[in-house]
Amino acid sequence: MADPQVGLVLGAGGVVGSAFHAGVLAALAAFGKWDARRADIVVGTSAGSLTGAFLRAGFPPADLAARARGEELSSESAHVLGRMGPVPETPAFGFGRSTRESATPRALDWSSLRPWQVRPGAIMAAMLPPGSTPSDPIRRFVDPIYGGAWADSTLWICAVSLRTARRVVFGRAEAPPASIGQAVAGSCAIPGFFEPVPIGGDEYVDGGAHSPTNLDVLRREELDLVIVISPMSTAGRSLRLSPDVPFRRWCRNRLANEARTIQRSGTHVVTFQPNVADQKAMGLNAMDPKRRAAVVRQAFESTRRRLERADLRSKLAPIFD
């Protein structure tokens, strides 16, 4: 019997989102014996693009969690870390203005001709003034790992063009040529906070402006199973009182809509979204590095509990058996 074809979708979510990815992936490796590096396709958006770049470079899921907790890493990870550039500092989150011109007129002109190809979030991203936080440290951190080449295994990185307000999936044939560091920096460039990333005569910002996960890019792929880790949404219909609840519910609904497009082709979709305890650990500031260790521990534990359920293990049977 042929091995199942598996997609892994890693959504946006800032620093704490990366920690959530690490906790979930480490639990899948520890209790499901599934190593995310084996995924046939990895799709990354914003924080998920960086996690995906780590995985495709050979970083084990367990060490993603250990790194976030400040613990000792394996020799495999040490080899990858030895090729990395300077680790960028986590900037304090806040919106600043740069002297660069907004892309709004260009994006509105283009989208008025093709309104069915853009989403409101992407138009809003283009309307914001460019951020002032440098994005190049992200590129300089990632590029040395790959030496200017793309990953050997399929890695798709989602960003939004400021010229057209459309999603661009770097790593696919139709995307402009870019290094993985450029693509990750563009995908992570939160509109109005980070500087847009220039690639091939255009500028790019966070792929989350189009979709928190961009799961729908897999709609034409012949996959048996897609695993989605979505740090920005919420599991279930929680009654938790917090300012971020309406946005998390919107992200959950967006994910559900995209999942239906994938499931129509017969592909199973399994999502990992933060529950109430996870969200409390994550807090309201997605860029708070002090929460990484707590988020990893909580996500690991909540995923472990989910993996004890027979219904979930049945859905994940293609990769667990």
Side-chain angles (χ1 to χ4, degrees), residues 46-293:
S46 196
S49 71
L50 187 57
T51 301
F54 268 82
L55 290 172
R56 285 315 199 204
F59 215 87
D63 281 354
L64 290 174
R67 183 172 182 268
R69 294 192 299 259
E71 298 172 356
E72 186 176 352
L73 304 179
S74 69
S75 58
E76 283 183 285
S77 297
H79 178 68
V80 176
L81 288 172
R83 304 198 308 270
M84 288 180 177
V87 178
E89 294 184 6
T90 303
F93 190 71
F95 292 96
R97 297 182 65 90
S98 76
T99 58
R100 303 170 72 183
E101 181 183 356
S102 168
T104 304
R106 290 173 291 158
L108 289 179
D109 287 347
W110 199 97
S111 63
S112 65
L113 297 175
R114 304 164 181 84
W116 60 90
Q117 293 184 353
V118 298
R119 289 186 178 174
I123 291 294
M124 290 176 64
M127 292 176 68
L128 286 171
S132 59
T133 303
S135 50
D136 198 54
I138 301 173
R139 180 195 62 77
R140 289 188 279 111
F141 174 54
V142 175
D143 266 346
I145 305 174
Y146 291 92
W150 200 261
D152 292 334
S153 301
T154 305
L155 173 63
W156 292 349
I157 295 176
C158 302
V160 167
S161 160
L162 286 182
R163 180 176 59 85
T164 65
R166 288 184 65 192
R167 174 177 64 197
V168 173
V169 184
F170 291 100
R172 296 207 302 200
E174 66 271 20
S179 69
I180 289 185
Q182 286 177 309
V184 169
S187 187
C188 290
I190 300 170
F193 176 52
F194 278 108
E195 294 175 347
V197 175
I199 300 174
D202 201 348
E203 291 185 317
Y204 293 87
V205 294
D206 198 322
H210 181 88
S211 163
T213 65
N214 289 290
L215 166 61
D216 62 315
V217 301
L218 295 177
R219 63 187 178 276
R220 293 188 178 91
E221 303 304 311
E222 295 181 357
L223 299 170
D224 299 295
L225 172 68
V226 176
I227 295 172
V228 185
I229 305 178
S230 176
M232 295 180 72
S233 54
T234 181
R237 300 186 179 276
S238 151
L239 297 178
R240 169 177 169 265
L241 297 177
S242 178
D244 63 336
V245 168
F247 180 69
R248 284 188 174 277
R249 287 180 176 169
W250 179 87
C251 291
R252 175 183 171 82
N253 291 337
R254 179 74 259 162
L255 173 56
N257 289 338
E258 293 183 10
R260 281 192 285 271
T261 69
I262 306 297
Q263 290 166 329
R264 289 190 192 106
S265 65
T267 299
H268 296 288
V269 177
V270 175
T271 64
F272 291 88
Q273 304 174 76
N275 61 24
V276 171
D278 298 329
Q279 292 170 40
K280 287 181 179 178
M282 295 168 85
L284 297 176
N285 181 2
M287 301 298 288
D288 186 355
K290 296 178 182 177
R291 290 184 174 269
R292 282 186 292 202

